[in-house]
Amino acid sequence: MAREFTSVGVVGLGTMGAGIVEVFARNGIDVVAVEISAAAVERGRATLTGSTDRAVAKGKLAEADRDALLARVDWQVGLDALHSVDLVIEAVPEHLDLKQRIFAELDRVCKPEAILATNTSSLSVTEISVATTRPNQVIGIHFFNPAPVMKLVEVVRTVVTSADVVADVEALCERLGKVDVTISDRAGFIANALLFGYLNHAVSMFESRYATREDIDAAMKLGCGLPMGPLALMDLIGLDTAYEILDTMYRRGGRDRRHAPVPLIKQMVTAGLLGRKSGRGFYTYERPGSPVVVTDEHTPVTTGAALADGARAIAKVGIVGSGTMATGIIEVFAKAGYEVISVTRGAEKSAKVCEAVKTSLNKGVVRGKLSEEDRDAALGRVTWSATLDHLADVDLVVEAVVEELSVKKALFASLDEICKPGVVLATTTSSLPVIDVAMATQRPADVIGLHFFNPAPIMPLVEIVQTIRTSAETSATARAVCAALGKTGVVCGDRSGFIVNALLFPYLNDAVKMLEASYSTADDIDYAMKLGCGYPMGPFELLDVVGLDVSLAIQRELYLELREPGFAPAPLLEHLVTAGYLGRKSGRGFRDHTKR
């Protein structure tokens, strides 16, 4: 039987500490809330009162329940007030010496059977525990912010943490309505170890001026369905906090360069640009602490007139290819009012593409998203062809053929001979160098990447990939076309992975390495990223959907181009692909899909 916790103490009443107080008090547990001074106690009390008042206003908490919740909290100055609690959770700033001093004092004050827990997100629980005479009763209980809302708790055991203590804490998490994942004491645990490598990489991308802050954030929100873009998330976390976490993980985690803080982060921290809490970070906010972003000197102009400035007029579009992506792009352009010429290799393929477009448009009608008249009008704008010669008078060509460089280069060489001067030639490649395709023509200034995401009619993102030879006029035309299609176009350079894949796949690869090291299970890693970070899918769910062979190919391309040791494909991923475990499409990947 797990022990019954009737009273707990919380040390440190900042945003996280006050949130943890609320979690316990909401679940009928008496809380002794402790700070270093009366003023700090009052700030914590105000945070809790504000949170519960908002819950009442939104109808998520009855007034009587709020009053009962607040009555369970005993606000105190000093650690001596914790002498009779069953469990203490420390939630002070991420400084090892500070936490060690507090734990040494808690060891003196608290009753012998009390469990001492730290909410650290990156520091060594083991190093904190040795400040006490009871390291077997010290454990990590890592809540996620905001604690009353986020379902995940990482339970971090050290090599000496008692099994009974772990079991008691796991039972407590269940009582609190949380999902716990129990892991050993390693830098960053699960969520931060995977999240901060990705965030750091995004900052590096911004620092090198590869893409704007807005485009990096839009790409990850719209291309991956993430709740926030990486730079906006850095601002929310706080750049000083992010720096401390990255620096700690770098020093504790084997000095992996993926976790070495990008110099820009330290520069911004030194300059006081800490994110939302200071009113300025990667973005500028209405006031310190406000979530409202305001225009600053870096905010791009996004009016229609500005997007169209310098763009060529596009009326007729040629689309080459017969796969799923080509079919979706045909539908997108036809629904947007463009005259479309679909070119495939043969009448049979044209018939299949035509049928696929009709089926998709009919689904739109059935679902009430498209009228019958608009469907018929879209179909009426498409001409079906089996010869490239019919592209002689189009204004834009979008290539969506097989992802093989030799095939694309041969196609672009043919388009160069057939198409009139001034035509924009676009490739939908997701991984190949656009410049290689461009140099197969005599007009590289007119060549650009337009990377649509699958399914093209639904996904709102297009990566606009400029080579060093792409003209400003071609880029302006691509941006204007994306706007006319109702898509968000994000501009980036011609580098492996562009924005989305370059940030997404190293994160997935890191998750595979974590599993390979037997640090945690695929289920717990997926839970951690979905419940702790708000991701729509866990990394192993996503890998099985994308295909392990596709993921491995992309990761290899990133590694070959960037030569970053941390990007080397995880051996486990390579072994699974070799064994034919490719994900859902083969019935087996990281999970067995034949039994579902």
Side-chain angles (χ1 to χ4, degrees), residues 20 47 53 114 190 200 314 335 382 460 467 566 593:
I20 295 171
T47 300
D53 285 351
I190 296 175
N200 202 39
I314 303 293
K335 285 197 297 189
V382 185
T467 77
H593 299 278

Side-chain angles (χ1 to χ4, degrees), residues 198-217 230-231 234 239 243 246 257-258 260-269 281-283 298 491 495 499 503 564:
Y198 151 73
L199 295 178
N200 202 39
H201 190 190
V203 176
S204 175
M205 196 175 271
F206 174 72
E207 182 184 50
S208 66
R209 301 186 181 180
Y210 177 68
T212 67
R213 61 188 182 184
E214 288 84 2
D215 282 356
I216 292 170
D217 281 354
L231 301 180
M234 287 283 284
L239 272 71
Y243 180 85
L246 282 165
R257 278 168 45 190
R258 297 255 293 131
V262 172
L264 178 62
I265 301 174
K266 183 64 177 293
Q267 293 164 17
M268 292 177 73
V269 170
F282 289 102
Y283 295 90
H298 302 298
V491 180
R495 200 170 77 183
I499 298 174
L503 292 178
E564 174 61 57

Side-chain angles (χ1 to χ4, degrees), residues 389-570:
D389 291 337
H390 289 158
L391 301 178
D393 65 342
V394 299
D395 306 308
L396 164 67
V397 178
V398 180
E399 163 276 311
V401 301
V402 66
E403 195 77 339
E404 291 181 15
L405 186 58
S406 60
V407 176
K408 292 182 187 290
K409 288 174 73 172
L411 172 60
F412 272 72
S414 297
L415 292 173
D416 190 30
E417 294 179 5
I418 293 166
C419 295
K420 64 187 181 184
V423 174
V424 173
L425 303 178
T427 172
T428 60
T429 183
S430 61
S431 59
L432 298 174
V434 178
I435 189 63
D436 283 1
V437 177
M439 295 310 292
T441 75
Q442 299 300 311
R443 51 174 104 182
D446 295 332
V447 178
I448 199 163
L450 284 180
H451 178 214
F452 287 80
F453 286 71
N454 194 28
I458 296 172
M459 295 296 281
L461 183 71
V462 179
E463 288 178 317
I464 300 170
V465 186
Q466 303 174 139
T467 77
I468 55 175
R469 295 289 295 270
T470 303
S471 72
E473 188 180 18
T474 299
S475 295
T477 304
R479 289 196 299 272
V481 166
C482 288
L485 294 175
K487 304 290 188 185
T488 298
V490 296
V491 180
C492 61
D494 182 22
R495 200 170 77 183
S496 185
F498 311 140
I499 298 174
V500 174
N501 285 354
L503 292 178
L504 174 64
F505 281 89
Y507 147 74
L508 297 176
N509 196 51
D510 286 346
V512 179
K513 291 178 180 178
M514 186 177 281
L515 178 67
E516 188 175 47
S518 299
Y519 178 64
S520 189
T521 65
D523 286 345
D524 279 357
I525 293 170
D526 279 355
Y527 283 138
M529 299 314 293
K530 289 195 293 184
L531 301 178
C533 299
Y535 282 27
M537 299 179 79
F540 298 106
E541 288 178 278
L542 184 54
L543 281 160
D544 276 2
V545 169
V546 171
L548 275 63
D549 51 341
V550 174
S551 303
L552 177 59
I554 292 171
Q555 192 62 37
R556 281 174 173 165
E557 287 293 330
L558 290 170
Y559 179 57
L560 284 171
E561 178 161 322
L562 301 176
R563 306 298 173 98
E564 174 61 57
F567 286 178

